[in-house]
Amino acid sequence: RGDVLETLVLLNPSDKSLCDELRNLITDVSQHKLLVFAGPCVEETGELMLQTGCFSLRDFIQIFTDKEVGEILSSADPSAKARLTVSCPDFGEWRDSGLDHHNLQDFIELRYNPGCILPEMEGLEEFMEYLSESLEPQSPFDLLEPPTMVGFLKLSKPCCYIFPGGRGDSAFFAVNGFNVLVNGGSNPKSSFWKLVRHLDRIDSILVTHAGTDSLPGVNSLLQRKLAELEEDPSQSSQGNGDWAKNLISPELGVVFLNASEKLKDIEGNSRVLKSCDEAALTLHYLDKLGIRPNPLSRDSGPRAEPTVLFQKMGVGRLDMYVLNPVKGTKELEFLLQQWSGNSYPKEQDLPLQCLTSVCALLVWHPVSPSEKIIRVLFPGCTPQGRILEGLEKVKHLEFLKYPVVTKNDLKGPPASQPEKLLKQRRAESKESLKSASKLSLVDAGAPVPKEKAPKVERKEVKAGTKEKPKSLGETARAGLEEEKAKDARAKLDSSMEKLKADAKPKLSKEKAVPKKEPVPRKEEKKPPKKDEGAEVKGEAKKEVKVAKKEVKAETLRKDAKENKAEAKAPAKTPARKTLVPETRKPLAKAGSIKKPPLKKEPEK
């Protein structure tokens, strides 16, 4: 700062600090002001590359729309209007801006890139030399600082991080055992570095297109890896401990990039940031690191075939489907063989980098059938029409037909049909059992189908075993005497001992005789028992009729107290023994076991 001239120089500023200083310059009371935009700028748009982000013509005009700035400029004396001379790139948006005829001229006089009037002066040269001393580029270790913590980060579950990188974003996708870095962003201070520096390895780097919005961040990483190989601890001004920390960085795996080998011969311009210069720098770094870039393209067949990036038993498989570009197209052949910074000779509405941009679909297939299948699409700068064409080649894949899908879902539709058939068959069998049981109640002697006969007989046996204790309880309620029960138990014990001794011969001899007698006796006993079950079911509808039937049943039971008490008491124990051989269908034998004591007791 002097008495006449005040100079402010911003070295590698951020977008926020630049906008704040420009606002102060415009609102300053001085009448003559000079603004010089120097430094690297993007080739097509003329945007200035800053520490964070870019500065464009739109950002410059936006400052004048600020309310405070507008009030100060409008309140100034018209006779003492301020003059602002702007020195900026003469291409891109700045050349077609029309600042000379902009409505801002009503508040401030703007001059855009005027011609040189004054000759070269010694004082100006000394000033430039002074600035050049402080404009030394940062070292790779200052640009990308080493990790502050010891140890490496392990990512066990699928994850995807998106890092805003100025004009271009960067993405990091990882599964258990493998990770992919997609592009690097336009910021030389790589936005992904704070995460990646804690990893032991970057398994793959996918560069969708060679551009100024994707390569600067990757080049900073490659430059740091190259500086680690060339670093000499004896010449380092830092201590040995700091030098060892600088060497901590992730190892690099495979690199996917579509670029021509002719780019290596290009000498870049430091003032203009071009895509071909960044691609040439990338190939130069990869060559020194001993890494050969692998091109990516899709076959022109009807279906896109996957490339297996990673596969591990017990973990899963990571596939990559390339949707664009297509192998053998003129645009891709020109990019890989002839492109050296010049535009594509054929007239196209879109630049060559967009037409040949890689559009990749990553699919993670976990081993567990209940885990979700992860699908991530990285389109790069591919036109929408090319993306849709590529998706047509993978529409046959089943896992793309669901919003959320697992392996169980893919196997579910074919397996669900037999399950429905089984349920229908079970329902039909239940209905047939019900109808068969109803028919057996009406016609006890009716023939039963061979397949359903055992099921019906089992139900009848179970029903009989459940209803027998009810009849004993009812006889107890009717008031059986304890002495008669003791006599019946004594008789039962004696009969059981005889049965145990002569069970097999009696069963074989009585097979012919009791088979005729038990059928009418079963028919006589079971209908009243099943009538009782029907009466219980119909109590809610017809209570009066049920009461009358129960009174009749009780009178009949009181008349036959002595006979039924003796007959049902021995029948209880054989029923327990017949429950075991039910699975072998011994219903006829069970009847024969029950009936012999019924014959012998009345004889006694």
Side-chain angles (χ1 to χ4, degrees):
R1 176 179 291 185
D3 298 334
V4 180
L5 180 64
E6 180 180 353
T7 306
L8 177 64
V9 179
L10 300 178
L11 300 176
N12 194 21
S14 63
D15 51 355
K16 184 179 183 302
S17 61
L18 177 59
C19 292
D20 292 341
E21 292 299 334
L22 284 178
R23 194 177 290 106
N24 296 334
L25 174 66
I26 294 169
T27 56
D28 193 83
V29 294
S30 61
Q31 188 174 359
H32 299 281
K33 305 168 186 179
L34 174 64
L35 176 62
V36 180
F37 290 115
C41 52
V42 183
E43 57 179 334
E44 296 177 353
T45 61
E47 294 176 308
L48 295 169
M49 297 294 297
L50 303 178
Q51 181 182 0
T52 55
C54 300
F55 186 82
S56 62
L57 175 65
R58 295 186 298 273
D59 299 326
F60 177 70
I61 296 175
Q62 186 70 24
I63 296 172
F64 291 93
T65 60
D66 187 68
K67 185 177 180 182
E68 182 181 355
V69 175
E71 290 177 356
I72 294 173
L73 293 178
S74 59
S75 61
D77 188 4
S79 60
K81 185 190 294 185
R83 177 186 293 179
L84 177 63
T85 303
V86 181
S87 176
C88 58
D90 56 353
F91 59 90
E93 296 176 352
W94 299 95
R95 183 178 62 183
D96 303 331
S97 61
L99 288 176
D100 297 336
H101 308 288
H102 204 276
N103 56 4
L104 294 175
Q105 298 288 347
D106 300 336
F107 305 99
I108 188 172
E109 184 181 349
L110 290 174
R111 298 181 66 189
Y112 167 72
N113 283 342
C116 295
I117 299 174
L118 298 175
E120 295 183 0
M121 294 181 290
E122 294 181 359
L124 185 58
E125 291 180 359
E126 292 178 358
F127 178 70
M128 295 301 295
E129 290 178 0
Y130 170 74
L131 289 179
S132 63
E133 293 177 359
S134 57
L135 286 176
E136 292 181 2
Q138 286 181 302
S139 70
F141 304 111
D142 294 333
L143 190 64
L144 303 180
E145 299 176 352
T148 57
M149 300 177 63
V150 179
F152 296 109
L153 180 66
K154 185 178 180 181
L155 303 172
S156 58
K157 293 184 178 181
C159 59
C160 185
Y161 295 93
I162 307 297
F163 304 97
R167 296 172 57 250
D169 297 335
S170 176
F172 180 79
F173 177 73
V175 296
N176 187 7
F178 196 84
N179 55 62
V180 183
L181 177 64
V182 183
N183 294 334
S186 60
N187 191 355
K189 190 171 185 178
S190 307
S191 55
F192 58 83
W193 175 249
K194 288 186 178 180
L195 172 66
V196 165
R197 65 181 179 176
H198 295 289
L199 301 174
D200 60 341
R201 179 180 173 85
I202 300 175
D203 297 298
S204 64
I205 299 175
L206 172 60
V207 181
T208 58
H209 60 285
T212 56
D213 56 346
S214 60
L215 285 176
V218 174
N219 286 338
S220 297
L221 174 62
L222 298 177
Q223 185 183 7
R224 192 186 195 282
K225 296 297 296 181
L226 191 61
E228 292 174 9
L229 300 177
E230 299 173 353
E231 182 73 4
D232 189 359
S234 60
Q235 298 179 359
S236 177
S237 59
Q238 301 174 346
N240 290 331
D242 296 335
W243 171 80
K245 287 182 180 178
N246 290 335
L247 300 181
I248 300 175
S249 65
E251 297 294 330
L252 300 182
V254 64
V255 176
F256 298 103
L257 171 65
N258 291 335
S260 174
E261 293 291 331
K262 291 184 178 181
L263 295 173
K264 294 180 181 179
D265 302 330
I266 295 178
E267 295 182 0
N269 185 0
S270 60
R271 293 189 59 186
V272 181
L273 191 66
K274 294 183 178 181
S275 300
C276 58
D277 296 340
E278 289 296 321
L281 198 60
T282 304
L283 294 175
H284 177 70
Y285 289 150
L286 291 175
D287 190 18
K288 285 191 173 183
L289 291 171
I291 301 174
R292 185 172 182 178
N294 297 307
L296 282 179
S297 60
R298 172 177 61 83
D299 293 332
S300 57
R303 293 184 176 183
E305 298 298 330
T307 301
V308 180
L309 296 179
F310 171 75
Q311 186 171 9
K312 187 174 181 181
M313 186 177 294
V315 179
R317 186 181 78 253
L318 181 63
D319 294 340
M320 178 175 64
Y321 295 84
V322 179
L323 307 184
N324 193 69
V326 181
K327 186 183 294 184
T329 56
K330 295 181 180 180
E331 299 90 354
L332 183 61
E333 293 297 326
F334 178 80
L335 176 72
L336 296 177
Q337 296 178 7
Q338 303 178 16
W339 184 68
S340 59
N342 50 344
S343 59
Y344 185 54
K346 186 179 179 180
E347 294 182 358
Q348 292 282 348
D349 297 334
L350 298 173
L352 180 66
Q353 287 84 355
C354 295
L355 295 174
T356 57
S357 172
V358 174
C359 178
L361 173 67
L362 298 183
V363 183
W364 169 245
H365 299 275
V367 170
S368 176
S370 60
E371 290 186 17
K372 296 178 183 177
I373 297 175
I374 308 298
R375 303 148 296 176
V376 185
L377 179 67
F378 295 104
C381 61
T382 310
Q384 185 177 3
R386 298 288 181 94
I387 297 175
L388 296 176
E389 289 177 7
L391 290 174
E392 285 290 325
K393 305 298 182 181
V394 294
K395 66 180 182 179
H396 64 281
L397 300 173
E398 288 294 329
F399 55 80
L400 293 179
K401 299 178 182 180
Y402 302 87
V404 179
V405 64
T406 61
K407 286 186 178 179
N408 289 332
D409 297 334
L410 297 178
K411 297 177 182 178
S416 63
Q417 293 178 358
E419 288 178 2
K420 290 180 180 178
L421 293 173
L422 285 173
K423 289 180 180 178
Q424 290 177 359
R425 289 176 183 175
R426 287 173 185 172
E428 290 173 1
S429 62
K430 287 180 181 179
E431 291 176 0
S432 62
L433 286 173
K434 288 179 182 178
S435 60
S437 61
K438 289 178 181 178
L439 289 170
S440 63
L441 288 173
V442 178
D443 299 327
V448 183
K450 292 181 181 179
E451 296 179 359
K452 297 180 181 179
K455 294 184 179 178
V456 178
E457 288 174 1
R458 286 177 189 175
K459 286 193 173 183
E460 289 176 356
V461 172
K462 289 179 182 177
T465 54
K466 289 181 181 178
E467 290 174 0
K468 281 178 183 178
K470 289 182 182 179
S471 62
L472 290 172
E474 289 172 359
T475 53
R477 289 174 188 174
L480 282 175
E481 296 177 359
E482 295 179 358
E483 296 178 358
K484 291 181 179 181
K486 290 178 181 179
D487 296 336
R489 288 173 186 172
K491 292 176 182 179
L492 203 158
D493 294 335
S494 61
S495 62
M496 285 300 297
E497 290 176 358
K498 293 178 182 179
L499 284 171
K500 287 178 182 178
D502 303 324
K504 293 181 181 178
K506 284 182 181 180
L507 288 172
S508 59
K509 289 177 183 180
E510 291 172 5
K511 274 182 183 178
V513 179
K515 277 182 183 176
K516 296 178 182 179
E517 295 178 1
V519 175
R521 287 184 184 179
K522 280 186 180 180
E523 289 174 1
E524 290 174 5
K525 288 183 180 180
K526 287 179 182 178
K529 289 179 185 177
K530 290 181 181 178
D531 290 337
E532 289 173 10
E535 287 170 7
V536 174
K537 292 180 181 178
E539 280 177 4
K541 296 180 180 179
K542 298 179 182 181
E543 296 179 354
V544 179
K545 292 181 180 180
V546 172
K548 290 179 181 180
K549 289 180 181 179
E550 287 178 352
V551 171
K552 291 178 181 180
E554 287 177 0
T555 53
L556 291 171
R557 286 167 189 159
K558 287 178 182 180
D559 294 337
K561 281 179 185 179
E562 295 177 358
N563 295 329
K564 286 185 180 180
E566 293 174 0
K568 290 178 182 178
K572 184 177 178 181
T573 53
R576 291 178 184 174
K577 287 190 176 183
T578 54
L579 288 174
V580 178
E582 276 179 3
T583 54
R584 299 180 183 177
K585 303 179 184 179
L587 291 174
K589 291 181 181 181
S592 63
I593 292 171
K594 289 179 183 178
K595 268 65 181 195
L598 292 174
K599 286 181 180 180
K600 291 179 181 180
E601 287 174 3
E603 289 173 0
K604 288 179 182 181

